[in-house]
Amino acid sequence: MAKDKSTGKMKRKDYEEELHKLQIQLCHLQEWVKANRLRVIVLFEGRDAAGKGGTIKALTEKVSPRVFRVVALPAPSDREKSQLFIQRYMQQFPAAGEIVIFDRSWYNRAGVEYVMGFCTPAEHKRFLALCPQMERYIIEGGIILIKLWLEVGMEEQERRFRARIDDPLRQWKLSPMDTESYRRWYDYSRARDLMFKATSSKHAPWYVIRSDDKRRARLNCISHLLKTIPYGRVKRDKVKLPRRSDKGRYNDQAGLRGMKFVEARY
């Protein structure tokens, strides 16, 4: 694959060609999941600006949102704070024929909640101890669980943050929590390593994807998912458009006269 000489990163043309091939396979995977009533959870974690959103978009843009369902929960409400920690996540678990993609997950407790002091040290320790047991229960219940960590380097994260500051299309991505995470780089590094040590189990391992090159990260992620979830081709009947019936024929455009149309500015 060719590289962009100015940056050393993957060229757009090569990226789009490879992405198209992988997205075709994702459509085959989608049909397989529906036909075999599989249940799949994919977790995306990583530092702020690691590229989770763009990777999820590349993964889901050509498939059905009824099969590939993205869950990005907001901060918990007062009521949710009083529930079991995992409770609000379990409400989003897949039914038969669904792949649920968590854009951040229960691992918030091992990352932002721990680093920013939103949970107590005891709550953090208890989470790390119980999480592998909970995930074993999930897997033994028949759910395929895939855990992905996008690892962005310090310099690349800074470059992306600075680009967001000046871009009105991306300023919404930069919150006070993001800038605080930038300041606490090493605190997040230690929290990440504690999380990996405690929760990367044989039955639910973490897989790390280097994401300084966003295009390569997206392709590597999709390729990994396709290899991790066993699937085959589902035979489909060829679609043939029927002939339109002339029965009840009438001037369907006449009914639009007098309606308010959007101004054709383009």
Side-chain angles (χ1 to χ4, degrees):
M1 295 180 187
K3 291 184 178 180
D4 185 323
K5 293 181 181 179
S6 62
T7 64
K9 295 184 178 180
M10 189 175 188
K11 286 187 175 180
R12 178 177 293 276
K13 181 181 178 181
D14 294 330
Y15 165 70
E16 290 178 348
E17 287 178 357
E18 293 301 317
L19 179 61
H20 179 71
K21 296 175 187 175
L22 292 172
Q23 287 177 334
I24 290 174
Q25 293 305 312
L26 285 172
C27 290
H28 294 322
L29 171 62
Q30 173 177 256
E31 295 305 309
W32 184 263
V33 168
K34 286 166 57 180
N36 291 276
R37 298 175 60 78
L38 300 182
R39 292 174 294 153
V40 182
I41 293 176
V42 183
L43 305 185
F44 279 92
E45 295 287 346
R47 299 179 190 272
D48 293 308
K52 295 181 292 296
T55 303
I56 292 171
K57 181 180 178 182
L59 175 62
T60 58
E61 65 182 349
K62 300 297 183 182
V63 292
S64 170
R66 295 182 181 88
V67 179
F68 284 77
R69 181 161 56 86
V70 179
V71 175
L73 296 181
S77 65
D78 289 341
R79 182 175 185 274
E80 288 171 332
K81 288 177 183 177
S82 71
Q83 297 173 343
L84 291 173
F85 175 71
I86 192 66
Q87 191 169 336
R88 72 188 192 122
Y89 296 101
M90 293 191 75
Q91 292 173 0
Q92 303 294 334
F93 277 18
E98 286 186 342
I99 298 175
V100 171
I101 298 170
F102 279 97
D103 183 354
R104 295 200 181 277
S105 65
W106 49 88
Y107 280 100
N108 273 344
R109 174 132 298 181
V112 63
E113 291 191 13
Y114 172 59
V115 173
M116 302 301 295
F118 297 148
C119 70
T120 66
E123 288 172 331
H124 173 251
K125 184 177 180 180
R126 177 173 171 79
F127 171 81
L128 294 182
L130 294 179
C131 191
Q133 299 175 41
M134 178 198 72
E135 291 176 350
R136 181 181 291 280
Y137 172 78
I138 292 170
I139 293 165
E140 289 178 350
I143 293 176
I144 298 171
L145 177 62
I146 301 169
K147 304 189 303 191
L148 302 173
W149 175 275
L150 270 60
E151 178 67 17
V152 66
M154 183 185 288
E155 292 181 1
E156 179 62 16
Q157 187 197 50
E158 179 175 350
R159 188 194 69 77
R160 292 177 187 178
F161 276 165
R162 292 192 182 281
R164 290 178 180 183
I165 291 172
D166 300 325
D167 186 348
L169 296 178
R170 290 186 286 177
Q171 285 173 355
W172 63 271
K173 293 184 175 182
L174 199 58
S175 69
M177 199 67 67
D178 294 328
T179 53
E180 186 63 19
S181 74
Y182 172 82
R183 189 173 72 85
R184 301 192 185 199
W185 175 272
Y186 294 111
D187 291 338
Y188 273 91
S189 297
R190 292 187 182 93
R192 176 204 62 195
D193 294 345
L194 283 172
M195 181 188 76
F196 284 165
K197 184 176 181 180
T199 66
S200 191
S201 58
K202 186 176 180 180
H203 57 274
W206 279 102
Y207 288 92
V208 179
I209 301 169
R210 294 203 176 274
S211 63
D212 280 5
D213 185 332
K214 289 183 178 181
R215 292 170 184 167
R216 282 195 169 83
R218 293 167 189 171
L219 298 179
N220 288 332
C221 173
I222 297 172
S223 176
H224 173 73
L225 289 178
L226 291 168
K227 289 181 179 179
T228 305
I229 307 171
Y231 73 100
R233 294 282 294 270
V234 176
K235 188 175 180 180
R236 301 187 66 182
D237 295 332
K238 190 171 181 178
V239 177
K240 184 178 180 180
L241 286 176
R243 182 179 176 181
R244 277 206 174 110
S245 172
D246 286 335
K247 186 177 180 181
R249 184 185 181 100
Y250 82 112
N251 186 351
D252 59 273
Q253 292 302 300
L256 297 176
R257 291 173 189 158
M259 295 300 297
K260 292 181 188 244
F261 279 80
V262 171
E263 182 182 353
R265 296 183 178 182
Y266 301 98

